[in-house]
Amino acid sequence: MQALPLLLIVGLSLHACGREPSSVLPIVKDYPRAVQAQAADELEALPDGSVLPVLIGDYAVLREQLQHFGGLEPKEWLAPLTGPVTGYRSKARMGVKYVEAKGETLVGFREKRNSFIAQLQQCEVLIPSVGHRLSDLRTLMHGLKSRSRIPQIELAAGDDDVALIIRHLDPLPDEDQQAFLDFCQPLGWHLYLQPGNESTVHRIWPALTGADNEERLHYRHPSADVELAFHPTDFTQVNAEINRKMVPLALDLLDISPEDTVLDLFCGLGNFTIPAAKRASKVVGVEVSRAMVERGYENARRNGLENLEFHAWDLSQDVAGQSWANRKYDRILIDPPRTGALEMMKLMPRFGAKRIVYVSCNPATLARDAGELTALGYRLKAAGVIDMFPHTTHVESIAVFEKK
């Protein structure tokens, strides 16, 4: 198959090009049947002038990488996992700069490969409660006495609340701190200050008292009836709707039985681990960050789950002597960083899992690791793409492996 240009969203303006839906279908004829079927269904439903979200480019990249690294082709191509293409991003880090020569304050994203800030009135990629208030934030920042000493703001949202983190180089004057409070309180936003490195981030509103004594936001997995807590600076998936679909998809693909023991590698705060514990006899999560391990146990307690273990370990290092690494598992879920999980692949035969689900943010390292797994006695059963970051060149993918 000839790879098309890398496009997460192929925009087909049917009105502009004067084509009928049926004449556009040959564009996807060489792609997996799941993509062809979705393209056909969506084209039939489109009014003139609409944009067709078909993840053709994603499949091209994933398929090309799988073939390049091992001549691999999944037995089945999964239908793409899609969601809204705007208003999806729940986290953002933005630069702030006071330009004295122009008498204005810039608030926006930093441009790629330089320190320039792209001034934004609003951002349609961010959730509307945040993305439609960038102009208000800029007005707020420009009115501060300390506007030249605030290089960055960070925004994070859970299902119900938003947190604003202010990075300030000098102590904030009382009137500036009050200005932030006056902005956040009517919106119900949590306000955090950061006078130094990440460890100095602390919440000043709402005050930490009694029942509300933790600096936490929350998100839910309705499919598992669980709620996870996280600190605004913790790593979480930024596309909440896709995450709510991705987790049950991965667990369905794992095909967990009530008597199974599951290993979750690179588990973070328990995004997959906690829902998996509702299906399995035992779930073991491993993550490099001790803070995330603590968060995992916190989330287990929050959801009344006792069939979990969390371990802190750098999975790029030798696991000799680690108790969790000397056990057998029925199912394994892997969700590594962009560098992949090459060091863990050689351990898969030792663990003895009959099925592995690999969630990846880099199709090249997924393909490389898939080649290792097939050499170790696994076959690539299924693969697909996840539109986690619409309007970007980022390709998220998922693959299922079964022991031969």
Side-chain angles (χ1 to χ4, degrees):
M1 180 192 69
Q2 182 180 2
L4 297 182
L6 179 59
L7 299 172
L8 283 181
I9 295 179
V10 179
L12 298 175
S13 178
L14 302 182
H15 178 76
C17 65
R19 296 182 182 180
E20 294 298 321
S22 59
S23 69
V24 182
L25 291 178
I27 294 174
V28 297
K29 66 182 177 60
D30 290 331
Y31 286 85
R33 290 183 179 179
V35 178
Q36 295 184 45
Q38 178 163 315
D41 291 343
E42 292 185 354
L43 278 166
E44 290 300 326
L46 280 176
D48 286 351
S50 296
V51 174
L52 171 65
V54 180
L55 307 177
I56 295 174
D58 286 30
Y59 277 99
V61 171
L62 179 57
R63 190 176 188 185
E64 185 178 78
Q65 294 288 351
L66 288 170
Q67 291 176 345
H68 173 73
F69 277 95
L72 300 176
E73 180 82 14
K75 184 177 179 181
E76 174 191 358
W77 283 102
L78 302 171
L81 199 61
T82 61
V85 297
T86 60
Y88 68 84
R89 189 176 181 93
S90 61
K91 276 197 168 187
R93 182 175 293 167
M94 295 187 155
V96 179
K97 186 174 184 179
Y98 173 60
V99 184
E100 188 172 3
K102 295 183 177 181
E104 65 176 343
T105 301
L106 306 179
V107 176
F109 293 107
R110 289 187 173 89
E111 296 181 6
K112 192 173 183 178
R113 299 191 185 93
N114 63 52
S115 60
F116 298 149
I117 294 174
Q119 180 77 289
L120 298 174
Q121 298 297 322
Q122 64 185 48
C123 178
E124 295 302 327
V125 168
L126 292 172
I127 60 172
S129 61
V130 172
H132 291 180
R133 289 197 167 91
L134 299 188
S135 182
D136 295 338
L137 277 168
R138 186 176 69 254
T139 300
L140 167 67
M141 303 304 294
H142 187 66
L144 301 175
K145 285 188 174 181
S146 54
R147 60 193 175 191
S148 64
R149 304 299 292 164
I150 298 176
Q152 175 182 291
I153 61 173
E154 195 166 348
L155 294 136
D159 285 353
D160 304 312
D161 299 305
V162 173
L164 174 63
I165 304 172
I166 308 299
R167 174 71 177 101
H168 53 101
L169 302 178
D170 300 325
L172 290 178
D174 290 344
E175 52 264 54
D176 284 1
Q177 185 165 312
Q178 187 60 49
F180 282 122
L181 288 169
D182 290 343
F183 181 85
C184 289
Q185 287 175 342
L187 297 173
W189 287 13
H190 298 187
L191 177 60
Y192 289 74
L193 300 183
Q194 183 183 352
N197 61 26
E198 192 173 294
S199 67
T200 67
V201 174
H202 62 285
R203 194 174 87 187
I204 66 167
W205 192 85
L208 297 173
T209 57
D212 185 16
N213 61 359
E214 293 181 326
E215 298 178 337
R216 297 290 183 268
L217 299 172
H218 306 86
Y219 69 89
R220 290 176 286 277
H221 279 303
S223 63
D225 191 26
V226 296
E227 180 181 79
L228 279 73
F230 65 99
H231 189 275
T233 61
D234 287 347
F235 171 80
T236 55
Q237 296 291 352
V238 301
N239 190 325
E241 181 156 343
I242 288 293
N243 191 48
R244 282 191 287 268
K245 295 178 180 179
M246 176 181 70
V247 169
L249 171 64
L251 299 184
D252 287 347
L253 292 171
L254 269 180
D255 191 26
I256 301 170
S257 297
E259 64 274 11
D260 283 344
T261 299
V262 178
L263 177 63
D264 182 5
L265 298 174
F266 308 93
C267 68
L269 52 73
N271 187 49
F272 291 99
T273 330
I274 300 297
K278 300 292 287 284
R279 305 189 185 201
S281 173
K282 181 84 170 181
V283 184
V284 177
V286 186
E287 166 62 39
V288 66
S289 167
R290 290 191 177 277
M292 290 298 95
V293 165
E294 292 172 7
R295 201 82 74 241
Y297 276 119
E298 174 188 329
N299 282 314
R301 292 190 296 272
R302 173 179 292 275
N303 291 282
L305 298 170
E306 298 181 349
N307 59 331
L308 298 105
E309 292 179 17
F310 291 92
H311 299 267
W313 190 253
D314 183 349
L315 292 171
S316 67
Q317 303 300 312
D318 187 358
V319 300
Q322 296 296 306
S323 61
W324 61 267
N326 294 305
R327 306 180 198 172
K328 296 291 185 181
Y329 298 94
D330 301 294
R331 301 286 189 267
I332 298 176
L333 190 140
I334 308 172
D335 183 16
R338 289 188 60 80
T339 51
L342 183 61
E343 294 82 4
M344 295 305 300
M345 294 301 99
K346 64 180 181 293
L347 300 179
M348 294 300 121
R350 178 201 298 185
F351 294 144
K354 294 180 179 178
R355 181 170 289 206
I356 299 169
V357 169
Y358 191 128
V359 179
S360 172
C361 57
N362 184 348
T365 52
L366 167 59
R368 178 202 65 196
D369 294 349
E372 293 293 320
L373 281 174
T374 55
L376 291 168
Y378 286 87
R379 64 171 173 267
L380 179 57
K381 176 180 173 61
V385 298
I386 301 168
D387 197 13
M388 182 70 76
F389 302 98
H391 306 296
T392 75
T393 57
H394 185 97
V395 180
E396 193 93 3
S397 50
I398 188 167
V400 185
F401 299 88
E402 281 189 338
K403 196 153 186 68
K404 294 177 183 176

